[in-house]
Amino acid sequence: MIEHLVHDAARFTLIAGGLLTLTVLVAWAARRARIPAPLAFLAVGVLYSSATGYTLEVESGDWLITIGTIALAIILFEGGFHGGWSRTRAVLGPVLGMGLLGTFATAALMAMAGHWLLGLSWGTASLIAIALAPTDPATVFSVLAGQQLRGRAGEVLEGESGVNDPVGIALMLGALELVLHGGGSGALAEVALGFGTELVIGITGGVVVGLAGNWVLTHAPLPNQAVHASAALAVGLLALGLTAQLHGSGFLAAFVAGLVVGERDVRHHAETEDVLSVAANLGETTMFLLLGLTITISAFDDSVLVELVTFVLLAFLVRPIVTFAVLAPSSLPRSEQAFVAWGGLRGAVPILLAFFAVIEGAPDAQLVYTVVFVAVSLGVLVQGMTMPALGRRLGLLEERDR
């Protein structure tokens, strides 16, 4: 019995070591080929599932959602920790505008385009639109590796994602409730009230857990830097878990807790930030690889036109319109507004949201998933590969000191 368990553990360790090795090789190859690393990880998953016929089915959704939730907690907490309240406060107007108003506007415009231009039902068009509303700054900064972004565009992109990821998740859950169970204005009002309540509890939970965690990190006699970094990571996970138990947005709580701790945590701050960055990158990589395993190349054949038009509408029309409209009253220079408009890359969160539709058995769920998957992939490829050139042309990028 023991020998069998040890053998199984060793086999699992071999698989884990192989995946980590593959991750390193893919990241190195992507850097050499000047391909955004997130796209490379997605491609590895898709190619593997297409070649072997092995895909992660809906039955695997429970643990895929669990892994995604943990990874998102770390990613959002690290984003808040890296920004800190003082840096985020300087761009709070643009961040809240893009994260709240921009998310709603993007979802609304994409839903109308999907229904009127592509002939999709309102339910299907809305699910696609909501899934594509959240952005991902980790993808942005992965394509800008080795270069320093001037101005406040980076803070806006990072803060926007910290807000719109939780908003997008809450919107998707509400939309699935309406699509699957229907209801009139009363049901819509109930979803809206629940959405607002989740955000309020999420902000409150993030502040409370962040302040408590900050007191521990500042005053507790933690023995070394490693324990300090582990304790900081625990704050992010606790913020999500505890707030979710109170029916609040745990994802928003994780981001807010990161803002609080990142602003006040002074001991071992740099070392903690390094550990959180590594954990967030590992979480992002794991999500892209696993999500790539949920689909094969043949799944894209039946909806190529919808996928291409959706990407074009999002990248070239809806995102620029929303960005310039929301940021017009701000003091952000036009060059930085342009970079934010083109830099609103989508990442693992939209694909995960589309997977929610598959798990729940929503109408046209597979169409929703493939359209979102391709739109995200094309965005990372087209926008990601052109962002460095755009940044240099706008005078916003410079090489980091080696």
CSV table of all heavy atoms in Angstrom, one decimal, residues 48-72:
chain,number,residue,atom,x,y,z
A,48,TYR,N,-1.6,20.3,-27.7
A,48,TYR,CA,-1.5,19.0,-27.0
A,48,TYR,C,-2.8,18.3,-27.1
A,48,TYR,O,-2.9,17.1,-27.4
A,48,TYR,CB,-1.1,19.2,-25.6
A,48,TYR,CG,-1.0,17.9,-24.8
A,48,TYR,CD1,0.2,17.1,-24.9
A,48,TYR,CD2,-2.0,17.5,-24.0
A,48,TYR,CE1,0.2,16.0,-24.1
A,48,TYR,CE2,-2.0,16.3,-23.3
A,48,TYR,CZ,-0.8,15.6,-23.4
A,48,TYR,OH,-0.8,14.4,-22.7
A,49,SER,N,-3.9,19.1,-26.8
A,49,SER,CA,-5.2,18.5,-26.8
A,49,SER,C,-5.7,18.0,-28.2
A,49,SER,O,-6.3,17.0,-28.4
A,49,SER,CB,-6.3,19.4,-26.2
A,49,SER,OG,-6.3,20.6,-27.0
A,50,SER,N,-5.2,18.8,-29.2
A,50,SER,CA,-5.6,18.5,-30.6
A,50,SER,C,-4.8,17.2,-31.1
A,50,SER,O,-5.3,16.4,-31.8
A,50,SER,CB,-5.3,19.6,-31.5
A,50,SER,OG,-6.0,20.8,-31.2
A,51,ALA,N,-3.5,17.1,-30.7
A,51,ALA,CA,-2.7,16.0,-31.1
A,51,ALA,C,-3.0,14.7,-30.4
A,51,ALA,O,-3.0,13.6,-31.0
A,51,ALA,CB,-1.2,16.3,-30.9
A,52,THR,N,-3.4,14.8,-29.1
A,52,THR,CA,-3.7,13.6,-28.3
A,52,THR,C,-5.1,13.2,-28.2
A,52,THR,O,-5.5,12.1,-27.8
A,52,THR,CB,-3.1,13.7,-26.9
A,52,THR,OG1,-3.7,14.8,-26.2
A,52,THR,CG2,-1.6,14.0,-27.0
A,53,GLY,N,-6.0,14.2,-28.5
A,53,GLY,CA,-7.4,14.0,-28.2
A,53,GLY,C,-7.9,14.1,-26.8
A,53,GLY,O,-9.0,13.9,-26.5
A,54,TYR,N,-6.9,14.5,-25.9
A,54,TYR,CA,-7.2,14.7,-24.5
A,54,TYR,C,-7.6,16.1,-24.3
A,54,TYR,O,-6.9,17.0,-24.5
A,54,TYR,CB,-6.0,14.3,-23.6
A,54,TYR,CG,-6.2,14.7,-22.2
A,54,TYR,CD1,-7.0,13.9,-21.4
A,54,TYR,CD2,-5.7,15.8,-21.7
A,54,TYR,CE1,-7.2,14.2,-20.0
A,54,TYR,CE2,-5.9,16.2,-20.3
A,54,TYR,CZ,-6.6,15.3,-19.5
A,54,TYR,OH,-6.8,15.7,-18.2
A,55,THR,N,-8.8,16.3,-23.8
A,55,THR,CA,-9.3,17.7,-23.4
A,55,THR,C,-9.8,17.6,-22.0
A,55,THR,O,-10.3,16.6,-21.5
A,55,THR,CB,-10.3,18.2,-24.3
A,55,THR,OG1,-11.4,17.3,-24.4
A,55,THR,CG2,-9.8,18.4,-25.7
A,56,LEU,N,-9.8,18.7,-21.3
A,56,LEU,CA,-10.4,18.9,-20.0
A,56,LEU,C,-11.9,19.1,-20.2
A,56,LEU,O,-12.3,20.2,-20.7
A,56,LEU,CB,-9.8,20.0,-19.2
A,56,LEU,CG,-8.3,19.8,-18.8
A,56,LEU,CD1,-7.9,21.1,-18.1
A,56,LEU,CD2,-8.1,18.6,-18.0
A,57,GLU,N,-12.7,18.2,-19.9
A,57,GLU,CA,-14.2,18.3,-20.1
A,57,GLU,C,-14.9,19.0,-19.0
A,57,GLU,O,-14.2,19.5,-18.0
A,57,GLU,CB,-14.8,16.9,-20.3
A,57,GLU,CG,-14.1,16.0,-21.3
A,57,GLU,CD,-14.4,16.5,-22.7
A,57,GLU,OE1,-15.3,17.3,-22.9
A,57,GLU,OE2,-13.6,16.1,-23.7
A,58,VAL,N,-16.2,19.2,-19.2
A,58,VAL,CA,-17.0,19.9,-18.2
A,58,VAL,C,-16.8,19.3,-16.9
A,58,VAL,O,-16.8,20.0,-15.8
A,58,VAL,CB,-18.4,20.0,-18.7
A,58,VAL,CG1,-19.3,20.6,-17.6
A,58,VAL,CG2,-18.6,20.8,-20.0
A,59,GLU,N,-16.7,18.0,-16.9
A,59,GLU,CA,-16.6,17.3,-15.6
A,59,GLU,C,-15.4,17.7,-14.8
A,59,GLU,O,-15.3,17.5,-13.6
A,59,GLU,CB,-16.5,15.7,-15.8
A,59,GLU,CG,-17.8,15.1,-16.3
A,59,GLU,CD,-18.0,15.4,-17.8
A,59,GLU,OE1,-17.1,15.9,-18.5
A,59,GLU,OE2,-19.2,15.2,-18.2
A,60,SER,N,-14.3,18.3,-15.5
A,60,SER,CA,-13.2,18.8,-14.8
A,60,SER,C,-13.3,20.2,-14.3
A,60,SER,O,-12.4,20.8,-13.8
A,60,SER,CB,-11.9,18.7,-15.8
A,60,SER,OG,-11.8,17.4,-16.3
A,61,GLY,N,-14.5,20.7,-14.5
A,61,GLY,CA,-14.7,22.1,-14.3
A,61,GLY,C,-14.6,22.5,-12.8
A,61,GLY,O,-14.1,23.6,-12.5
A,62,ASP,N,-14.9,21.6,-11.9
A,62,ASP,CA,-14.9,22.0,-10.5
A,62,ASP,C,-13.5,22.3,-10.1
A,62,ASP,O,-13.2,23.4,-9.4
A,62,ASP,CB,-15.4,20.8,-9.6
A,62,ASP,CG,-16.9,20.6,-9.8
A,62,ASP,OD1,-17.5,21.6,-10.3
A,62,ASP,OD2,-17.5,19.6,-9.3
A,63,TRP,N,-12.5,21.4,-10.4
A,63,TRP,CA,-11.2,21.7,-9.9
A,63,TRP,C,-10.5,22.7,-10.8
A,63,TRP,O,-9.6,23.5,-10.3
A,63,TRP,CB,-10.3,20.4,-9.8
A,63,TRP,CG,-10.1,19.7,-11.1
A,63,TRP,CD1,-10.8,18.7,-11.7
A,63,TRP,CD2,-9.0,19.9,-12.0
A,63,TRP,NE1,-10.2,18.3,-12.9
A,63,TRP,CE2,-9.1,19.0,-13.1
A,63,TRP,CE3,-7.9,20.8,-12.1
A,63,TRP,CZ2,-8.2,19.0,-14.2
A,63,TRP,CZ3,-7.0,20.8,-13.1
A,63,TRP,CH2,-7.2,19.9,-14.2
A,64,LEU,N,-10.9,22.9,-12.0
A,64,LEU,CA,-10.4,24.0,-12.9
A,64,LEU,C,-10.8,25.3,-12.3
A,64,LEU,O,-10.0,26.3,-12.2
A,64,LEU,CB,-10.9,23.8,-14.3
A,64,LEU,CG,-10.3,24.8,-15.3
A,64,LEU,CD1,-8.8,24.8,-15.4
A,64,LEU,CD2,-10.9,24.5,-16.7
A,65,ILE,N,-12.0,25.4,-11.9
A,65,ILE,CA,-12.5,26.7,-11.3
A,65,ILE,C,-11.8,26.9,-9.9
A,65,ILE,O,-11.4,28.1,-9.6
A,65,ILE,CB,-14.0,26.6,-11.0
A,65,ILE,CG1,-14.8,26.5,-12.3
A,65,ILE,CG2,-14.5,27.8,-10.2
A,65,ILE,CD1,-14.6,27.7,-13.2
A,66,THR,N,-11.5,25.8,-9.2
A,66,THR,CA,-10.8,26.0,-7.9
A,66,THR,C,-9.4,26.5,-8.1
A,66,THR,O,-9.0,27.5,-7.5
A,66,THR,CB,-10.7,24.6,-7.2
A,66,THR,OG1,-12.0,24.2,-6.9
A,66,THR,CG2,-9.9,24.8,-5.9
A,67,ILE,N,-8.7,25.9,-9.1
A,67,ILE,CA,-7.3,26.4,-9.4
A,67,ILE,C,-7.4,27.8,-9.9
A,67,ILE,O,-6.6,28.7,-9.5
A,67,ILE,CB,-6.7,25.5,-10.5
A,67,ILE,CG1,-6.4,24.1,-9.9
A,67,ILE,CG2,-5.4,26.1,-11.0
A,67,ILE,CD1,-5.9,23.1,-10.9
A,68,GLY,N,-8.4,28.1,-10.8
A,68,GLY,CA,-8.5,29.5,-11.3
A,68,GLY,C,-8.8,30.5,-10.2
A,68,GLY,O,-8.2,31.6,-10.2
A,69,THR,N,-9.6,30.1,-9.3
A,69,THR,CA,-9.9,31.1,-8.2
A,69,THR,C,-8.7,31.4,-7.3
A,69,THR,O,-8.4,32.5,-7.0
A,69,THR,CB,-11.0,30.4,-7.3
A,69,THR,OG1,-12.2,30.3,-8.1
A,69,THR,CG2,-11.4,31.4,-6.1
A,70,ILE,N,-7.9,30.3,-7.0
A,70,ILE,CA,-6.7,30.5,-6.2
A,70,ILE,C,-5.7,31.4,-6.9
A,70,ILE,O,-5.1,32.3,-6.4
A,70,ILE,CB,-6.1,29.2,-5.8
A,70,ILE,CG1,-7.0,28.4,-4.9
A,70,ILE,CG2,-4.7,29.4,-5.1
A,70,ILE,CD1,-6.6,27.0,-4.6
A,71,ALA,N,-5.6,31.1,-8.2
A,71,ALA,CA,-4.6,31.9,-9.1
A,71,ALA,C,-5.1,33.3,-9.2
A,71,ALA,O,-4.2,34.2,-9.0
A,71,ALA,CB,-4.5,31.2,-10.5
A,72,LEU,N,-6.4,33.5,-9.3
A,72,LEU,CA,-6.9,34.9,-9.4
A,72,LEU,C,-6.7,35.7,-8.1
A,72,LEU,O,-6.4,36.9,-8.1
A,72,LEU,CB,-8.3,34.9,-9.8
A,72,LEU,CG,-8.6,34.8,-11.3
A,72,LEU,CD1,-10.1,34.7,-11.6
A,72,LEU,CD2,-8.0,36.0,-12.1
